[in-house]
Amino acid sequence: MKITIPANFFAEIVAKQPTMEPQTTQMPRIGDKAPDFNVTTTTGQLQLSEYNKVSWVILFSHPADFTPVCTTEMSGFALEKDFFAANNAKLLGLSIDSIHAHIAWVNAVHEKTGVLFEFPIIADLDMHVAKLYGMLQPGESETAAVRAVFFIDPEGTIRLIMYYPLNVGRNMEEIKRVLLALQTTVTHKVACPLNWKPGEKVIIPAPRTLEGLAERKASNLEMVDWYLAKKSI
Ligand code: BEZ
């Protein structure tokens, strides 16, 4: 018996395949405008674009309330409150927990250790912000945000992103260092070399003309080669 396959047979099969699940995580990139949001936080309702006006925002996620590593990290941010205020940076925490869980945790840590998380913490139970910022990374967890940090400048642009897994806490010294490095590069139009720390020399952009090259060669800058020169600021 001859079996005749209709001309549109394969086209129909393809059309009937379930469509791919929409991506659950979107990954903002360095240089992107920080996606705006309006959220419930431990200090009240908050609009990112308002909170971000004229200051840097450090938006960071943690996996869950009442967990040990998260408690150390949140306490670390809280204890550096004066550093961030002095350097024009506002903190904004997030986890996929309810506002009541957040309040209970903040209160518990305060009662046990005396450390108060005064910065707002987003209650992201519907995962809206976690998905918007690529904080939900399904290979790591389908329900808990990874440890992300977004450095957002006062114009609302993402300048640096860190992602850490659930089981490794972040480094507060590095968070503080990169904030100052980012601000230094903006203020002085320079770049920061390996392991740069405040007070150390910075890198000046390489000359882009022969005249610039001649000027650089004649300068008394600390120079490894014409394209790698450092200065104090
Ligand atoms: C913690 O914060 O201790 C933690 C949270 C999720 C997974 C592993 C550790």
Side-chain angles (χ1 to χ4, degrees):
M1 188 180 82
K2 190 172 173 231
I3 297 170
T4 321
I5 298 174
N8 62 352
F9 182 77
F10 291 107
E12 276 189 19
I13 287 180
V14 170
K16 282 180 188 154
Q17 293 298 312
T19 49
M20 268 176 59
E21 280 290 305
Q23 282 265 316
T24 53
T25 48
Q26 166 176 332
M27 304 294 281
R29 293 158 303 184
I30 292 173
D32 286 353
K33 279 280 160 214
D36 202 8
F37 50 72
N38 188 286
V39 282
T40 302
T41 81
T42 47
T43 60
Q45 209 63 24
L46 183 148
Q47 183 84 37
L48 176 66
S49 49
E50 284 299 315
Y51 192 58
N52 189 202
K53 270 196 183 136
V54 305
S55 70
W56 287 72
V57 169
I58 301 180
L59 168 65
F60 56 97
S61 55
H62 66 271
D65 296 342
F66 293 101
T67 49
V69 178
C70 298
T71 304
T72 64
E73 289 192 316
M74 298 295 267
S75 302
F77 278 110
L79 291 169
E80 293 293 351
K81 163 180 109 158
D82 293 343
F83 170 87
F84 291 114
N87 289 291
N88 192 30
K90 291 181 182 167
L91 300 174
L92 180 55
L94 173 149
S95 74
I96 301 170
D97 286 295
S98 71
I99 195 67
H100 296 112
H102 281 349
I103 299 287
W105 185 40
V106 172
N107 184 52
V109 175
H110 189 217
E111 284 183 358
K112 287 270 178 215
T113 69
V115 177
L116 182 60
F117 306 163
E118 288 174 85
F119 51 83
I121 307 170
I122 301 169
D124 196 33
L125 212 46
D126 65 0
M127 307 183 182
H128 174 70
V129 179
K131 288 180 180 172
L132 202 56
Y133 277 78
M135 294 164 173
L136 250 192
Q137 304 198 1
E140 185 71 350
S141 170
E142 299 271 0
T143 52
V146 296
R147 302 178 194 279
V149 193
F150 289 85
F151 295 78
I152 305 170
D153 75 14
E155 279 73 50
T157 301
I158 296 169
R159 291 293 170 203
L160 193 146
I161 303 172
M162 296 173 173
Y163 285 113
Y164 277 56
L166 301 188
N167 52 7
V168 178
R170 287 157 281 202
N171 183 316
M172 186 52 62
E173 289 309 309
E174 178 63 356
I175 289 170
K176 288 162 53 182
R177 186 189 79 90
V178 295
L179 174 68
L180 297 181
L182 287 167
Q183 294 178 341
T184 298
T185 63
V186 175
T187 307
H188 298 280
K189 308 264 181 300
V190 293
C192 294
L194 173 76
N195 294 338
W196 178 87
K197 285 203 266 324
E200 293 179 357
K201 289 182 177 172
V202 293
I203 292 179
I204 339 170
R208 297 172 63 87
T209 61
L210 290 174
E211 192 185 347
L213 172 63
E215 274 171 25
R216 174 151 302 185
K217 280 181 167 172
S219 76
N220 48 19
L221 292 167
E222 180 190 322
M223 213 179 319
V224 176
D225 200 344
W226 63 274
Y227 65 87
L228 201 180
K230 293 183 183 176
K231 71 168 184 182
S232 300
I233 48 170

